[in-house]
Amino acid sequence: MNNHTHLHIHPIERLWIIISFSMIGVFAVAVLTAGFAYGFQLPVPEDRIVDPNLVATPGATAFGEPGLRELSPGNMEARVLAQAWSFTPKEITIPVGTKVTFYVTTKDVQHGFHLEGSNINFMVLPGQISKLSTTFTTPGTYNFYCHEYCGVGHQTMYGQVIVTEK
Amino acid sequence: MYAHENRLTAWHIGIAFVALMVGMLLGPLQTWEHAGLNLYPALRSIGIQSYYQGLTIHGILNALVFTTFFITGFLTFATTHSLKRASKYPWVHTLALVVMFAGLLITAVPLLLNGATVLYTFYPPLKADPAFYIGLTLVVVGSWITGYGLLFTWSAWKKENPGVQTPLIAFASLITMVMWQICTVGVAVEMLALNIPWSLGLIAGTDPQLARTLFWFTGHPLVYFWLLPAYISWYGMLPKQAGGKLFSEPLARLSFWLFLILSTPLGLHHQYVDPGIPAGWKALHAVLTYSVFFPSMLTLFNVVASLEIAGRARGGKGTFGWIRALPWSEPSFTAQALAGILFAFGGISGIANASYDLNLVLHNTAWQPGHFHLTVGTGVAFSFMGIGYWLIPKLSGKELWSKKFGIYQAWTWFVGMILMSNGLHILGLRYSVPRRSALGVAPYASAEWTPFLIESALGGTILLISVVLLYVNYGMTVFAGKKLTREIEMPVAENAEGMPSPRWLDTWRPWLLGAVALVLVAYGPVIYILLTRLNLTSPGFRVW
Ligand code: HEM
Ligand SMILES: [Cu+2]
Ligand SMILES: [Cu+2]
């Protein structure tokens, strides 16, 4: 019968355990600090859910007339509608230094949205609105890709943000 | 004594390796397509209509069919041989195999007829033929039945051996099966409540956000269901194969308990960038994901220390001399040792994925297939190939056809995988190249990507050589091998400490309660939030 309760740990292994724990701890603190104190944004639930069958109907939601809108000087919002296999609008032109908030949804299957040169990368799901903001500081052309399989034309689905000089 | 178990395992493993062969042959085609050599038009004549149908077959056969059939077979073998007791109810295992195989056939029909080109994640509202969902569900149900069979056998063994500690291999196999029972609840609910009725037209719409969450409830622990059998071999068998002992059996047991507790409540790390889930819950799952890194760190130390015992027992001297002394001429050892090395790098790229905000750069980029070909594609699949080098001779009663082929196979896999995964990692990190895309015909493909696409295609080509070497060897062994003149036993590593583990490492209740409690805390509120926002409006699309 086995009655002992003591766990024998070799000294070097003990050291390894301490190192492992500390490493995990440092990673967790670093990542969460960046996430919550420095304002790296992840998409979070918008107040309302939508009906993907109606979301693209003009007048029903803002995605009925997708495109760019100025909210205040230097502050814009872009409503992008995803569908197999295109984004509307396909091209978005903004002046350098403008803060743009992207709102993206889909009227059919799941899609993805990853904007090069920014921290905007999210899933686009039917019934949900994905939202993140960025500010481009260098003029240029930046692709945004659909990164979730959405059918046989998936590899053709992309668009561009053109950042112009002020 | 184990005639039934051995025959049954032979079926499981045979089906597994045939599925893997078909699945893997599509892999190099994907890397070639990316690099501009598109062979898919030629595949139409054999019924593969698109890159994506091929990719669906690759993912389903490799990651779902191969793994599940191999694991159920291997754990049945390992548990009975470790307990030195035949199964209590052999018919339960036969039933399990029949259910799994029926499920496989039912899934295969739409998969091969292009009726289920939805990739192995089958995210709704991509809508496959109902047979696809029903067949996959049966495969999972069959794997549950295998687990029940093992639990019956174990409880019979307990009655016959009162007070004896369950041997490590059986103990870890049972934990793996129990973990699988807990975590498959998610995909079972997704299938039974959403996918199946919806694909049959019984409900008009589905909720993609809820379906994804249920999928990943199972989808992350799924990777531990793949990995733990490889760990069982690394802890329980490999040290013996190398001529050594297991450095610390108690800590091996502890890490399996930690996997039982921590495998499930962290699936949201696949959904950091989903719109419908609050950030706080994502952050909680991020911390839990980091914590499951810990038992893998324990494993790394313990397995390396065990191999050092082996290397020194073989006469290896000095700080690194013991490594050279290991049995590098044995394919089973070499494959598993190289698998372990690449797996460690997969672990590192996984830490980046797990990192809540770093993931913004990496999510759904080519980095992901770069990562998981080191983990499931190598740490797991390559280890299983290595296990095959002793288990297939054992089950077929034939001598391994060629050790040399085995060694070449192992090293070509190692080199090919380094090239492919390095290329994919760089493409994802540096250029945001999307995954799951027929990049060769993508209008946005950039000339900057070319060197890395070629590197990955070169890796894919070397991997193809490895696949050929593997199957020639297995095939020649089974169909043309010399009759074994000796008995092959399952390798069982002795405990270097020479005394049993503390009792609290042999008690199920607290760990099991902990596991269930943590799942409820980490997922209960999330599911509640999703139900308050339930949105059953997606009708289903066939866009392939
Ligand atoms: C001959 C060796 C292999 C090669 C050359 C290969 C190649 C690839 C490539 C290039 C992709 C990415 C396709 C894309 O994102 O468009 C991929 C995806 C994948 N591979 Fe492999 N692979 C091999 C073996 C394996 C093995 C052994 C496994 C697992 C046991 C595996 C599991 C997967 C999975 C799950 C995916 C993801 C499919 C998806 O995104 O839906 N592969 N493979
Ligand atoms: Cu797409
Ligand atoms: Cu995961």
Side-chain angles (χ1 to χ4, degrees), chain B residues 325-374:
Chain B
L326 290 169
W328 294 102
S329 60
E330 290 296 329
S332 179
F333 171 82
T334 303
Q336 295 188 66
L338 296 180
I341 293 171
L342 290 189
F343 179 72
F345 288 94
I348 296 171
S349 72
I351 294 255
N353 294 335
S355 301
Y356 190 73
D357 29 31
L358 283 186
N359 172 69
L360 280 170
V361 181
L362 305 170
H363 178 80
N364 266 2
T365 66
W367 172 282
Q368 302 307 332
H371 159 71
F372 62 67
H373 283 86
L374 294 179

Side-chain angles (χ1 to χ4, degrees), chain B residues 27-28 30-31 51 55 58 62 120 372-373 420 435-437:
Chain B
Q30 285 151 201
T31 63
Y51 177 87
L55 187 58
H58 181 79
N62 291 351
Y120 83 108
F372 62 67
H373 283 86
M420 181 174 95
R435 68 180 282 205
R436 306 186 131 172
S437 178

Side-chain angles (χ1 to χ4, degrees), chain B residues 219-220 223 269-270:
Chain B
H220 185 81
V223 314
H269 66 223
H270 293 261

Side-chain angles (χ1 to χ4, degrees), chain B residues 24-333:
Chain B
M24 281 200 303
L25 286 175
L26 289 155
L29 294 176
Q30 285 151 201
T31 63
W32 297 341
E33 195 282 339
H34 291 175
L37 174 63
N38 185 358
L39 298 184
Y40 285 88
L43 289 185
R44 292 240 170 84
S45 58
I46 59 163
I48 294 183
Q49 303 301 325
S50 66
Y51 177 87
Y52 300 104
Q53 191 189 355
L55 187 58
T56 307
I57 296 173
H58 181 79
I60 298 265
L61 288 186
N62 291 351
L64 303 182
V65 175
F66 163 66
T67 50
T68 309
F69 276 84
F70 185 95
I71 291 164
T72 45
F74 178 59
L75 295 189
T76 302
F77 180 94
T79 305
T80 50
H81 284 255
S82 164
L83 294 175
K84 299 194 170 33
R85 190 199 193 286
S87 6
K88 169 87 173 156
Y89 300 118
W91 64 268
V92 172
H93 291 275
T94 312
L95 175 68
L97 176 62
V98 169
V99 172
M100 284 174 66
F101 192 59
L104 172 58
L105 294 179
I106 294 171
T107 307
V109 174
L111 195 60
L112 296 176
L113 295 179
N114 202 25
T117 298
V118 293
L119 304 189
Y120 83 108
T121 43
F122 49 85
Y123 290 143
L126 297 168
K127 193 184 211 169
D129 292 342
F132 174 78
Y133 305 109
I134 294 170
L136 282 183
T137 306
L138 287 177
V139 173
V140 173
V141 170
S143 70
W144 288 348
I145 300 175
T146 296
Y148 305 150
L150 295 180
L151 287 171
F152 287 135
T153 304
W154 177 60
S155 62
W157 177 90
K158 292 270 297 177
K159 285 208 192 79
E160 295 153 11
N161 296 275
V164 181
Q165 188 158 52
T166 307
L168 175 69
I169 292 176
F171 161 91
S173 303
L174 292 163
I175 290 188
T176 307
M177 280 302 187
V178 170
M179 187 277 286
W180 184 236
Q181 292 288 329
I182 297 175
C183 78
T184 41
V185 169
V187 80
V189 173
E190 185 197 354
M191 289 293 199
L192 298 176
L194 295 173
N195 296 355
I196 293 177
W198 170 69
S199 70
L200 288 170
L202 301 177
I203 52 174
T206 188
D207 182 337
Q209 180 67 84
L210 178 61
R212 279 173 70 84
T213 309
L214 293 169
F215 179 86
W216 286 114
F217 181 102
T218 303
H220 185 81
L222 174 62
V223 314
Y224 290 103
F225 180 63
W226 299 333
L227 186 61
L228 294 188
Y231 278 11
I232 289 171
S233 176
W234 296 356
Y235 274 123
M237 303 177 188
L238 196 62
K240 170 78 175 180
Q241 290 177 283
K245 294 182 175 174
L246 174 56
F247 177 77
S248 170
E249 188 176 305
L251 283 173
R253 288 178 191 258
L254 179 63
S255 57
F256 281 100
W257 285 128
L258 292 175
F259 281 119
L260 176 71
I261 295 186
L262 294 171
S263 289
T264 308
L266 35 80
L268 289 188
H269 66 223
H270 293 261
Q271 299 179 274
Y272 287 150
V273 298
D274 276 20
I277 296 170
W281 294 101
K282 294 173 177 172
L284 174 66
H285 283 228
V287 173
L288 287 165
T289 305
Y290 276 144
S291 67
V292 79
F293 185 55
F294 178 65
S296 278
M297 291 295 278
L298 285 181
T299 302
L300 176 62
F301 186 93
N302 211 344
V303 171
V304 172
S306 306
L307 294 181
E308 182 177 349
I309 296 178
R312 296 205 185 283
R314 305 170 73 90
K317 300 255 172 340
T319 314
F320 296 111
W322 60 270
I323 299 176
R324 297 194 59 169
L326 290 169
W328 294 102
S329 60
E330 290 296 329
S332 179
F333 171 82

Side-chain angles (χ1 to χ4, degrees), chain A residues 2 4-5 7-8 13 16 31 35 43-46 50 52-53 110 121 123 125 147-149 151-152 154-155, chain B residues 52 117 124 209 212 250-251 273 275 282 297 357 360 363-364 436 444 497 500-504 533 535 537 543:
Chain A
N2 157 33
H4 75 285
T5 53
L7 180 63
H8 166 77
E13 189 162 27
W16 177 261
V31 159
V44 293
E46 285 295 286
V50 289
N53 305 298
Q110 300 191 16
N121 181 353
M123 297 302 305
L125 303 185
H147 62 56
E148 188 52 84
Y149 168 67
V152 283
H154 164 56
Q155 72 282 348
Chain B
Y52 300 104
T117 298
Q209 180 67 84
R212 279 173 70 84
L251 283 173
V273 298
K282 294 173 177 172
M297 291 295 278
D357 29 31
L360 280 170
H363 178 80
N364 266 2
R436 306 186 131 172
Y444 49 71
E497 284 182 356
S501 297
R503 266 183 85 85
W504 54 274
R533 293 167 59 92
N535 192 358
T537 48
V543 278

